[in-house]
Amino acid sequence: MSQPRPGTRDRRAMLLEAVRDGSGGIAELAEEFGVSESTIRRDLASLAGAGHVVRTYGGALDTERSPREKDREHAAAKEAIAREAAALVQDGEVVLLDAGTTTGRLARHLAHREGLTVVTNGVTAIRELAGFTGIDLVVLGGRLRHPGEAILGESVLAQLRHISPDRVFLGADGVVAGRGLCCPSLEESVAKHAMLHAGAEAYVLADHSKLDQAPFSYWAPLDREYRLITDEPRVDVTFPQFAESVIVAGAPEIVGGAAHHE
């Protein structure tokens, strides 16, 4: 005897759990729950209306994952990217770190350095650096946004006008060449754009899952020179639009614009 299908409310609760576990494609979810794709679309629209998920092209993303949960996704890639970024930082520099899990890992790699000034609006980076006296930690003040733990607001923008860091490291929920960094809110997109233009050199830290992805509706244009640091070893082939500005984490040499593994 077959099991009865769950009711709409129960199915949507189970659907939310599936999205949180990483299943976000409509076709995949329809097969998993034994319903039509149009039913899944209606369920996702209902969950999005309640603020539990964000609709994407072909699926949905959970909006309620904690930074710790996000940090576990593609952890090895994020660690490699953070190490690559940390190797670029020279003693005595002023560094601006965006909020995010990969920039938080970068902060961890900088924590034992001496003579650095680190400016950040990220709670994760603040936690990583707060106990280290060799780091001059400058916290941008404003309103704390959950669940990403970014400090945002007009006060952050005002403070950014008074600093000129040597390097800026930006996180990304998605990055699209010619469009910029995809952001979950207008406020965050404005802050990222201000950070991008604050420093002498700018870098975007994005693992392979973020490349050419646009999960949200807000953008910080990449309208200045920058370098993309990623773990995608064939980024110049898979995403040729990034090839002229790429550093591949862990790659031993640079060929053309992109770094390659032998």
Side-chain angles (χ1 to χ4, degrees):
M1 184 175 178
S2 62
Q3 291 291 107
R5 290 181 179 178
T8 300
R9 181 176 297 180
D10 290 339
R11 185 182 64 247
R12 288 176 179 172
M14 295 165 64
L15 180 61
L16 178 57
E17 289 302 314
V19 172
R20 287 175 174 170
D21 288 340
S23 301
I26 287 175
E28 174 188 3
L29 292 167
E31 182 177 356
E32 180 177 345
F33 287 92
V35 297
S36 68
E37 292 187 11
S38 61
T39 296
I40 291 296
R41 288 190 181 93
R42 286 194 297 271
D43 288 346
L44 291 177
S46 176
L47 292 172
H52 297 303
V53 301
V54 171
R55 289 297 308 276
T56 67
Y57 181 78
L61 290 174
D62 176 25
T63 62
E64 299 180 344
R65 294 170 299 162
S66 69
R68 185 170 297 178
E69 290 171 324
K70 291 180 180 180
D71 188 53
R72 289 196 292 265
E73 298 174 354
H74 309 292
K78 291 178 179 180
E79 184 68 13
I81 291 167
R83 288 181 181 276
E84 194 77 32
L88 297 171
V89 177
Q90 304 297 312
D91 292 342
E93 289 188 338
V94 177
V95 177
L96 175 59
L97 299 185
D98 185 16
T101 55
T102 309
T103 50
R105 286 176 178 264
L106 170 56
R108 187 182 309 163
H109 286 289
L110 297 177
H112 295 279
R113 302 277 291 272
E114 296 287 337
L116 291 180
T117 297
V118 178
V119 183
T120 186
N121 72 327
V123 172
T124 302
I126 295 168
R127 290 195 188 106
E128 294 290 349
L129 298 170
F132 293 87
T133 58
I135 300 293
D136 184 11
L137 178 61
V138 179
V139 178
L140 297 174
R143 181 177 63 85
L144 181 62
R145 178 189 177 276
H146 294 286
E149 296 189 343
I151 301 170
L152 301 170
E154 287 296 327
S155 57
V156 170
L157 302 179
Q159 291 169 82
L160 286 172
R161 289 194 285 270
H162 295 278
I163 64 172
S164 182
D166 298 288
R167 301 179 199 273
V168 178
F169 294 96
L170 298 172
D173 288 285
V175 55
V176 177
R179 188 69 194 270
L181 302 179
C182 191
C183 304
S185 72
L186 179 60
E187 193 175 32
E188 189 163 335
S189 70
V190 172
K192 283 183 184 289
H193 191 247
M195 289 182 178
L196 174 71
H197 286 272
E201 295 188 24
Y203 304 85
V204 173
L205 311 185
D207 67 69
H208 62 277
S209 71
K210 311 291 180 59
L211 301 182
D212 211 30
Q213 297 299 306
F216 305 114
S217 301
Y218 304 97
W219 294 89
L222 289 169
D223 51 2
R224 61 155 293 180
E225 288 188 6
Y226 72 97
R227 303 297 300 278
L228 170 67
I229 307 179
T230 185
D231 65 306
E232 173 56 66
R234 293 177 56 80
V235 65
D236 59 324
V237 175
T238 309
F239 302 102
Q241 62 270 41
F242 294 117
E244 294 306 312
S245 62
V246 171
I247 300 171
V248 176
E253 66 175 294
I254 303 292
V255 179
H260 293 251
H261 291 282
E262 291 293 332

